[in-house]
Amino acid sequence: MAAAHRGSDRFGLSWRPEYAAGILCHADEIDIVEIIADNFLRDGASARSLRTLSAQIPITLHSVALGLASSIPLETKRVERIARLFDHFAPVSWSEHFAFVRAGGREIGHLAAPPRNDETIEGTIRNVRIAERIIGGAPLLENIATLITPPLSTYGEWAWMDHIVGAASCDLLLDLHNLLANCVNGGHDPEQTLRRTPLHRVRVVHLSGGKWIKNPIDPERRHLLDDHLHDVPDEVYELLATLAELCPNPLTVIIERDGNFPAFEIVLDQLRRAKTAVAAGRAGRMKSRAMEMCLEHA
Amino acid sequence: MNTPEVESFLARLYTDENFLARFLDSPGEVLEREKLSTEQRAALAAIDRSELVLAANSYRHKRDSRKSR
C-alpha cells in the first residue's frame, strides 16, 4: 500500500455508478475516488474493474462492514476478502469506522456506536491490529454519527477515539457532517469539538449532508440525521475551513453521496466549494504562522 | 463489564421490532430474562427511549433500502 500522502491537499468523490461518466469526464478536477470495498467483493470481474479504474485515477478503499470497534473479536475471513482486492491494484489507503455492525448473530445493517469503555478500546485496538496484519497496512478510522448515546460508556466520544488511535497508531478519517450531527444532537459546540480532536492524525475528510427529523416521542425535540442523501451544508464547509487552518497534514477531501443524486454538475460545484474552503483555511494558517514567526523574532 | 453481551443486546434491539416493543413497554421484565449484570441492566434501562427508537428506525431503514436495490 502507498505510504501516507505527504504532498498537497487532494479532492475527490465517492464512486457511484450514477456518477461514473461525470467522474471520468471531469478527471482533471478530481484527484481521487473512494470505493466502497464491500461492493466489489462478490466476484473477480468487479474486483478486476478496479484495476482499470485505478489506472486512470487514484483510489482509496472504504470498508463498511468489518465492525472493528467492538469488544467482540473480528471475523478474519471478512478482512481476507478485502485483502484479496489488493491483488488487483494498490489503493492509496483504506479506511473503516469506529463502529460495530453485528453481534449475537445479528447484522445491524449499518454503523452503530458501541459502548465507549475500556473493553471496546482494547477490542478495537486488537481488531485493528489483526486487520493491519492481514491487509498490510492500518486503516484510517472514521468517526460515525449516532442518534443514541451508547450505554455503559465511561468515555466521551473523542476521548475514546483518541485512546484507540494513539494505541493502534492509526490515522483519522474525519467526517465533518458526522461531527456536526453528533454535536448538535448532543448539545455541544461543533467548532470547539473540532479544535479538541487529534488534528495531527487527520488525513482524510468526508463531507456529506443530512436532514432534520422529529423526535418520535417528544415533539419539542428534533435531531440531525446524517443520511448522506443531501447537499453539504454551509456549516460543514465552515468546519472544513477551520480544519484546514489547524491541521498540519495534507488533506484528502471526499464528497459522499449515497442517493437522491442531483445532477453531477451540482456535486462538482460542491467539490469546488470544498477547494475554496480549504484554500481559505490554509491561507489563514500561513498568516498565523507568519505572525508567530514575527513575534518570535521581535 | 462483559460488553459483548451488551453489544448483542443492542443489536437485538436494533433488529428485532417485537423485542424492541417489549423492551419499551417493560424494560425491567425484558432485562430480567437476560444474562446481564446489575450494572448492565441499570444502564440499559436508562437508555433514552426516543434516541433508541430513532436509532432502530434508522438502522431498519438502511437494511430495507439495501434490500430494495
Side-chain angles (χ1 to χ4, degrees):
Chain A
M1 193 172 330
H5 177 59
R6 300 191 187 285
S8 55
D9 300 315
R10 295 185 294 196
F11 299 87
L13 301 175
S14 288
W15 176 267
R16 299 287 181 268
E18 290 83 354
Y19 290 146
I23 289 172
L24 294 173
C25 288
H26 293 87
D28 57 326
E29 290 192 65
I30 298 167
D31 303 317
I32 190 167
V33 293
E34 181 182 85
I35 300 289
I36 302 293
D38 310 72
N39 292 342
F40 290 85
L41 298 179
R42 60 181 182 278
D43 58 56
S46 60
R48 287 190 294 275
S49 68
L50 292 175
R51 185 185 298 166
T52 305
L53 180 63
S54 70
Q56 300 180 67
I57 193 164
I59 293 177
T60 180
L61 273 182
H62 192 52
S63 169
V64 299
L66 290 181
L68 295 178
S70 172
S71 57
I72 300 169
L74 177 64
E75 295 175 20
T76 55
K77 64 178 188 301
R78 296 181 186 272
V79 189
E80 287 161 2
R81 282 202 288 267
I82 291 178
R84 284 197 282 275
L85 288 177
F86 289 67
D87 294 341
H88 299 279
F89 74 108
V92 299
S93 59
W94 77 285
S95 52
E96 248 290 354
H97 302 81
F98 288 102
F100 80 113
V101 300
R102 62 184 61 83
R106 293 173 181 271
E107 294 287 327
I108 297 170
H110 198 53
L111 308 163
R116 299 176 187 133
N117 55 37
D118 287 326
E119 277 189 272
T120 53
I121 287 174
E122 288 167 21
T124 307
I125 293 165
R126 179 192 60 230
N127 289 338
V128 166
R129 287 183 176 148
I130 290 171
E132 181 180 4
R133 177 178 51 78
I134 293 172
I135 286 184
L140 292 101
L141 292 177
E142 179 180 356
N143 58 309
I144 66 166
T146 176
L147 290 166
I148 180 171
T149 305
L152 281 156
S153 293
T154 53
Y155 294 88
E157 179 186 13
W158 287 96
W160 178 76
M161 290 191 285
D162 199 26
H163 276 287
I164 292 169
V165 296
S169 298
C170 275
D171 285 331
L172 284 172
L173 189 168
L174 181 58
D175 188 306
L176 289 175
H177 193 268
N178 289 349
L179 182 150
L180 175 69
N182 287 355
C183 283
V184 300
N185 292 338
H188 308 294
D189 183 274
E191 183 174 328
Q192 291 307 311
T193 299
L194 175 63
R195 287 177 181 273
R196 287 197 296 268
T197 63
L199 294 168
H200 63 290
R201 293 197 179 275
V202 177
R203 302 282 176 184
V204 179
V205 184
H206 274 175
L207 307 181
S208 61
K211 68 176 181 182
W212 289 96
I213 57 175
K214 290 182 188 172
N215 187 292
I217 296 174
D218 180 356
E220 297 297 311
R221 290 171 68 186
R222 60 176 197 156
H223 307 262
L224 182 56
L225 174 69
D226 176 64
D227 62 6
H228 288 50
L229 300 177
H230 298 82
D231 294 343
V232 181
D234 293 341
E235 299 94 320
V236 169
Y237 290 112
E238 290 162 15
L239 289 171
L240 178 61
T242 302
L243 174 65
E245 182 173 352
L246 299 173
C247 183
N249 309 323
L251 294 171
T252 297
V253 181
I254 293 173
I255 306 268
E256 287 188 297
R257 191 71 176 239
D258 289 348
N260 187 29
F261 297 107
F264 185 76
E265 194 61 32
I266 292 175
V267 177
L268 203 55
D269 278 345
Q270 292 179 40
L271 193 67
R272 292 166 181 149
R273 189 173 170 188
K275 292 180 184 179
T276 302
V278 169
R282 294 306 194 192
R285 181 174 175 78
M286 286 178 63
K287 189 175 173 184
S288 298
R289 291 180 71 182
M291 286 177 65
E292 284 169 12
M293 289 174 68
C294 285
L295 288 171
E296 278 174 19
H297 291 96
Chain B
M1 263 198 193
N2 289 325
T3 304
E5 283 72 21
V6 174
E7 290 181 46
S8 295
F9 189 86
L10 289 173
R12 192 171 177 195
L13 287 175
Y14 297 154
T15 58
D16 185 334
E17 288 182 63
N18 291 332
F19 186 73
L20 175 63
R22 290 203 307 274
F23 177 79
L24 291 171
D25 190 48
S26 299
E29 269 186 38
V30 169
L31 288 165
E32 200 56 44
R33 296 194 195 107
E34 302 293 319
K35 290 179 184 172
L36 297 166
S37 70
T38 305
E39 181 193 11
Q40 290 169 332
R41 290 198 182 100
L44 289 163
I47 288 176
D48 184 302
R49 297 155 74 83
S50 61
E51 288 181 2
L52 175 58
V53 170
L54 279 170
N57 289 346
S58 171
Y59 298 139
R60 184 175 62 250
H61 182 74
K62 284 282 185 184
R63 290 192 300 273
D64 290 347
S65 66
R66 284 208 183 91
K67 284 179 199 166
S68 64
R69 285 186 199 160

